[in-house]
Amino acid sequence: MDLLLDGFATALTPENLLFATIGVLLGTAVGVLPGIGPAMALALLLPITYTVGPESAIIMFAGIYYGGMYGGSTTSILLNTPGESSSVITAIEGNKMAKAGRAAQALATAAIGSFVAGSIATVLLWVLVPRVADVVVQLGAPSYFAIMLLAFFAVTMVLGASKLRGFISLFLGLAIALVGTQTGQARLTLDQPLLADGIDIVVVAVAIFAIGEALWVAAHLRRKPLEIIPVGQPWMSRSDWRRSWAPWLRGTAYGFPFGALPAGGAEVPTFLSYATEKKLSRHPEEFGRGAIEGVAGPEAANNASAAGTLLPLLTLGLPTTATAAVMLSALQGYGIQPGPQLLDAEPGLVWGLLASLIIANALLLVINLPMAPLWAKLLRVPRPQLYAGILFFACLGAYTVNFQAFDLVLLLLLGLLGVAMRRFALPVLPLIVAVILGPELELQLTQALTISQGDVTTLWSEPVAVVVYAVMALLAFVAGVGALRRRAHHTVEADRTDPTDPDPTSTDHQESHR
């Protein structure tokens, strides 16, 4: 309790309170604007970590993360255009409510649901982070290696429809992580001295998220102006409150554990929350026409998931979303390695961050409820000017890392890689996770083999490692069975529609049977 009170003392200093407010405002703004998510915002702001303290930077980043989760609901409701993939489900009922003249109620249940879920999830973090850290600190290098391998495996197997594309993205990230002379031997440096220290994660993150997204959107820019549904001040009737409070709690129960899982993310719990509310609702006929439960539950799951991602990030150093991956790189920029030792090494940082989450949630509610009409106007910013500004700040941020023009060349090349990944539907998260965790995976493997004098069996010598490999085998089996079922289904469908079969309704076919 004393550590938590110290955390509130850290979070409530005027400087940190200012950074939390800035983070919430920025996060909501980037969440509102379609195509600009919190991961891109954090990537653009990574250079700030060179000028402010770690507590202030991480508190601001957490505010951006929470704000981005909420901001995505505004575009889902008003435009039927999710700002974040986790807000896709919100668009189903939220936009229908807006078209029926209930945009204010949809935005209100989204904001209050985010506050309720975020607050409950933050309390769960207060309870679980110290306990998980006490367990994790007893793990050895083989277990860490297995857990990181599971993170790679999970983000590759779970994200996207194609497992092959996931592995391609993963190996691209590992290739980028290999660049440099960290092991004493030059790897993939192309005899370029400026690559001796590797490619800075700031350059990689800014290029893949900001440059790649800006160039991709520019290539598919729509000239048609956005049609925004007008909205007044958000409010909820007594009936709306009665229909929303249970979905808020159920959404929280779905969101937090999925956020804490490797590659869990917010997409799965928001879908499960929507399906649950549709099944339990006393008004199932309203689903598909604007049911408030279909907004309340998924939005709560969305925000609870955002808090859940911080559990593996702080205790294991494992990011489960792209945004968490950028936050991890920010901590590493300060020489801080999240993991079981973090709570003992940096208690002020950890508890200051955990306390600031409650403050960020309260700021989200206080700021966003009255500012909903303003956020709607923000959607009218012309896209060319918006993405021109993004490109400018991306180049500026990458240049300030080392003040080398060579970094701008890398930024352009990796930005083109980001465009190619979007063109061929390669998921971004496996690449970013591989770039950040690749060196750490190599380090744990080296330590395990060094201690055992090269005995490979040490990699499965610990119970946790064995369990992790069993989970990986189970995931591979389930994925294989699913692929076989889909292939069999497609074969059956193809046989039913075989173009070589005569049409049973045709005259020739009927004549042949006569």
Side-chain angles (χ1 to χ4, degrees), residues 247-274:
W248 290 337
L249 297 179
R250 285 191 289 263
T252 304
Y254 277 126
F256 185 83
F258 271 94
L261 292 173
E267 291 79 7
V268 174
T270 53
F271 173 79
L272 289 175
S273 174
Y274 180 80

Side-chain angles (χ1 to χ4, degrees), residues 19 22-24 26-28 30-31 36-50 56-69 84 201-207 209-210 309-310 313 321-331 390 393-394 397-398 432:
F19 277 107
I22 293 172
V24 166
L26 279 176
T28 306
V30 299
I36 306 177
M40 182 195 291
L42 295 189
L44 287 171
L45 292 172
L46 271 177
I48 287 180
T49 59
Y50 298 115
S56 300
I58 299 305
I59 286 172
M60 181 179 69
F61 282 7
I64 291 173
Y65 194 7
Y66 269 31
M69 292 292 105
E84 277 283 293
I201 183 59
V202 174
V203 176
V204 178
V206 170
F209 287 117
T309 61
L310 296 178
L313 179 67
T321 65
T323 310
V326 181
M327 291 179 68
L328 174 60
S329 67
L331 286 169
I390 289 174
F393 285 108
I432 295 296

Side-chain angles (χ1 to χ4, degrees), residues 55-80:
E55 292 89 356
S56 300
I58 299 305
I59 286 172
M60 181 179 69
F61 282 7
I64 291 173
Y65 194 7
Y66 269 31
M69 292 292 105
Y70 168 77
S73 65
T74 302
T75 48
S76 296
I77 292 167
L78 299 182
L79 280 177
N80 200 27

